[in-house]
Structures are given as structure tokens and as C-alpha cells.
Amino acid sequence: MTVDPAKPYDPDNIFAKILRGEIPCNTVYEDEHALAFHDINPQAPVHILVVPKGAYVSWDDFSASASEAEIAGFVRAVGHVAREQGLVVRGYRLLGNIGRNGGQEVPHLHIHLFGGGPLGPMLAG
Ligand code: 5GP
């Protein structure tokens, strides 16, 4: 089921549980503002999810309501993970799904970071 970004944040979503340590994940990076971990169902040789630590449903929610420090911290964390994973020289792709048309399934903001090989056309049709 896809996410309705107008709904209030559900503290029992799967990424909230990962952030609370109730469900395991394969962590690649963590700081005050963000957690990055491998996607359970990778769509590319490297497929990492970066999530903010705050309770934000989507990019819409985050960009409207997060503090400057949270936004800066999250954006810097995404860039840091890409560099740390050695993805910059050959390039990589960031993707954010928002709401129904975006196909968002987990109602906690996450950015997909894809890399490790050619990623093909932007949209698969
Ligand atoms: P969305 O469609 O919401 O943008 O992407 C959700 C992503 O979360 C999917 O790529 C899916 O494979 C991943 N995912 C769902 N549940 C889990 C989980 O429990 N652990 C991890 N690591 N990834 C998950």
C-alpha cells in the first residue's frame, strides 16, 4: 500500500522501528540527524536508504517542517554516505518517492541511494 502524505506520522512504521533498534538493519552510517542502511530488497549493486532521525512522513513534510539543522544534517549525511561508499567518481542516483503517485510504501522519509554500476534510464516506464 502506498503512503498518504497528508496522514499524521505513524510511529509504528518499519523505519521508526529500525531507528528505535526494534528491528535490525545493515547500518552503513549514523550520526545525530540520519541513519543509512542497506535496502532489504536491493534494486542496484549498491542500494542504500538514508532516513532522517526525526518523525517525518515524506519529503513534503520534512521540507516544510524540519529545522534548518535537521535539513542540513540530513543533506550532508546523504552526501557523506555517497562519498564514503566510493560512489562519486563513477556517479550515483538519488531517489525520493513521495505519496501515491511516487509509489512511497514506507511512511518515514527516506532517500534511496543507488550506485555500483550503470543505472539505466531514469524511469522504467
Ligand atoms: P519506498 O517504496 O517507500 O520508496 O521504498 C521503501 C523501501 O524500503 C523499499 O526499497 C524496500 O525494499 C525497503 N524496505 C522495506 N522494509 C524494509 C526493512 O525492513 N529493512 C530494510 N533494510 N529495507 C526495507
Side-chain angles (χ1 to χ4, degrees):
M1 209 171 74
T2 52
V3 168
D4 178 351
K7 276 198 175 163
Y9 184 81
D10 170 11
D12 287 327
N13 77 76
I14 196 104
F15 293 167
K17 290 180 178 173
I18 285 175
L19 282 165
R20 290 195 296 268
E22 294 166 11
I23 290 180
C25 72
N26 192 348
T27 299
V28 300
Y29 177 72
E30 181 167 16
D31 67 17
E32 179 190 352
H33 293 293
L35 176 69
F37 51 91
H38 290 285
D39 195 290
I40 205 167
N41 182 24
Q43 305 295 312
V46 176
H47 184 175
I48 291 167
L49 300 171
V50 191
V51 307
K53 289 208 166 162
Y56 298 101
V57 174
S58 74
W59 184 264
D60 180 61
D61 188 14
F62 185 71
S63 60
S65 306
S67 69
E68 307 297 310
E70 287 175 303
I71 291 171
F74 183 63
V75 171
R76 288 199 187 279
V78 173
H80 178 86
V81 170
R83 285 189 293 277
E84 197 171 64
Q85 295 290 315
L87 299 176
V88 175
V89 170
R90 290 182 185 270
Y92 60 96
R93 179 173 293 159
L94 299 180
L95 175 74
N97 294 320
I98 296 101
R100 257 191 311 277
N101 280 358
Q104 182 182 3
E105 290 180 351
V106 179
H108 181 112
L109 169 62
H110 48 284
I111 292 297
H112 297 257
L113 198 165
F114 298 108
L119 296 165
M122 189 161 59
L123 295 174

